[in-house]
Amino acid sequence: MATNINWYPGHMKKTGELIQENLKMVDAVVEVIDARIPVSSRNPIIDELVAGKPRIIALNKSDLADEEANRLWVQKLGNATASESGGARTETRVIPMNSISGDGTKKLLRGLDAIDARRSGNAAMKPFRIMIVGVPNVGKSSLINRMTGHKSTRTGDRPGVTKSKQWLKLPNGMQLLDTPGILRPKFEDPRAGMNLAFCGSIKDEILDVPTLGMELIGVLSERYPELLMRRYKLDSLYEEGEESPETGYPMETAQDLALANMHQMAVKRGCILPGKRIDYERMGRLVLDEFRAALIGRITLEWPE
């Protein structure tokens, strides 16, 4: 049921070049990813660009994600990234974070202090420099504001807020380079594009919100049916073979079921247009907003294999 999504503004190509140009100037990299989609929110281009540098992975928005999945991802990502670049060993730590509340910030700074303490020679005499990287809307700017102790960068619940690099100074004397978010030019797996869209890393303005909401309902119906039924006060979810509430015909596809469940959710929430027609635009927006705010529950869309 996943749809192909491509969204790669011109400034993202420049961001890749910016990261490459400035990498030699930094001592460590903080890669910010979304705990709900740790695979889709990791750009392989970034992985290639920063290979060989000490790295801390900030598993951000962990308060919105399934707690058990967070635990498994910390273990999985730490093991998977401990050896990179053709066998050259690099240091990687994975820290669950909530950049809005600040949870995990102190642990992140301690991890950077530990990397700084191991510098030697001329490098130790220079300010410790950090680069922050990640795809759009994973919370980089909010994290930086926590690290600096004041509102140094613009934030927003939409992708593409940061458009150019910024050097910032931390209270402990470290220097930090913020870079704009960078998505991969295309998604080989359409599910990755959908997951990023669900979580708001791709602008809603370029997407079909009713279809995106229906796709999300289909995913949640399969993976978190109890949470979906509880939030929208549903007695049950439709199953294959049942009659569609709109057409009266038996439903045979996942898309049929998702649309039928969207229909009954819209009725429960009063998303009705004149003539008793379903307001799919409003219902799509509502389910996306409530998922992103964890009002449906703590949900992880990608689990370690």
Side-chain angles (χ1 to χ4, degrees):
M1 194 164 67
T3 304
N4 277 303
I5 293 176
N6 286 310
W7 182 63
Y8 195 68
H11 77 269
M12 290 191 182
K13 181 178 183 296
K14 294 179 181 178
T15 299
E17 296 169 352
L18 183 151
I19 291 173
Q20 199 163 22
E21 290 170 5
N22 289 274
L23 194 61
K24 59 181 178 293
M25 302 171 60
V26 302
D27 303 290
V29 173
V30 175
E31 181 186 5
V32 187
I33 65 175
D34 190 320
R36 297 166 297 180
I37 50 170
V39 176
S40 297
S41 63
R42 294 197 76 198
N43 188 333
I45 295 174
I46 291 176
D47 226 22
E48 294 169 12
L49 290 174
V50 305
K53 289 284 182 179
R55 191 185 328 186
I56 294 179
I57 296 176
L59 195 63
N60 199 30
K61 305 189 181 184
S62 59
D63 57 307
L64 308 180
D66 192 302
E67 289 183 272
E68 175 63 10
N70 287 342
R71 184 187 68 79
L72 294 173
W73 276 117
V74 166
Q75 181 179 359
K76 171 85 171 181
L77 290 172
N79 291 339
T81 55
S83 181
E84 299 173 335
S85 189
R89 191 158 184 81
T90 58
E91 176 185 356
T92 303
R93 297 184 64 182
V94 184
I95 301 175
M97 301 196 68
N98 175 358
S99 58
I100 301 299
S101 70
D103 288 349
T105 306
K106 290 182 179 179
K107 190 173 182 180
L108 172 61
L109 292 172
R110 286 197 298 269
L112 293 169
D113 280 335
I115 298 171
D116 185 15
R118 288 193 286 276
R119 292 192 303 158
S120 61
N122 292 334
M125 304 299 293
K126 299 177 182 178
F128 185 76
R129 286 184 159 183
I130 312 147
M131 181 184 287
I132 303 287
V133 298
V135 305
N137 206 34
V138 289
K140 296 187 303 297
S141 295
S142 296
L143 175 58
I144 289 168
N145 290 339
R146 281 288 173 182
M147 294 174 72
T148 59
H150 55 86
K151 194 170 184 178
S152 306
T153 64
R154 292 176 58 202
T155 63
D157 188 21
R158 58 188 177 87
V161 172
T162 303
K163 293 291 179 64
S164 61
K165 73 175 185 179
Q166 308 180 70
W167 278 105
L168 305 168
K169 188 173 181 179
L170 304 188
N172 60 6
M174 293 180 180
Q175 295 180 359
L176 183 152
L177 177 62
D178 178 24
T179 61
I182 176 172
L183 282 176
R184 62 192 80 186
K186 64 178 181 179
F187 304 107
E188 290 77 11
D189 183 349
R191 289 173 297 183
M194 292 301 299
N195 286 337
L196 286 162
F198 293 153
C199 293
S201 289
I202 298 174
K203 289 183 178 179
D204 288 339
E205 289 87 343
I206 71 163
L207 302 170
D208 179 348
V209 169
T211 300
L212 187 63
M214 183 191 69
E215 295 268 6
L216 178 58
I217 289 167
V219 171
L220 298 182
S221 298
E222 181 180 345
R223 302 182 187 179
Y224 289 91
E226 296 84 2
L227 293 182
L228 197 66
M229 288 189 290
R230 184 183 308 137
R231 179 65 185 172
Y232 297 99
K233 298 179 172 57
L234 307 177
D235 295 328
S236 62
L237 297 173
Y238 282 98
E239 298 181 0
E240 186 177 347
E242 289 189 74
E243 291 184 356
S244 165
E246 287 201 319
T247 67
Y249 291 108
M251 293 176 288
E252 298 178 349
T253 68
Q255 191 170 32
D256 290 339
L257 295 172
L259 185 60
N261 286 321
M262 189 176 190
H263 184 287
Q264 66 169 337
M265 289 163 61
V267 171
K268 286 286 187 179
R269 284 299 183 90
C271 297
I272 308 295
L273 294 168
K276 297 183 179 180
R277 294 176 294 119
I278 298 298
D279 189 342
Y280 289 109
E281 178 79 29
R282 183 179 164 200
M283 189 63 231
R285 168 61 55 204
L286 190 150
V287 72
L288 287 167
D289 288 347
E290 294 196 346
F291 162 72
R292 292 169 183 172
L295 295 176
I296 299 173
R298 296 182 61 167
I299 291 169
T300 296
L301 299 179
E302 296 174 338
W303 287 65
E305 295 181 355

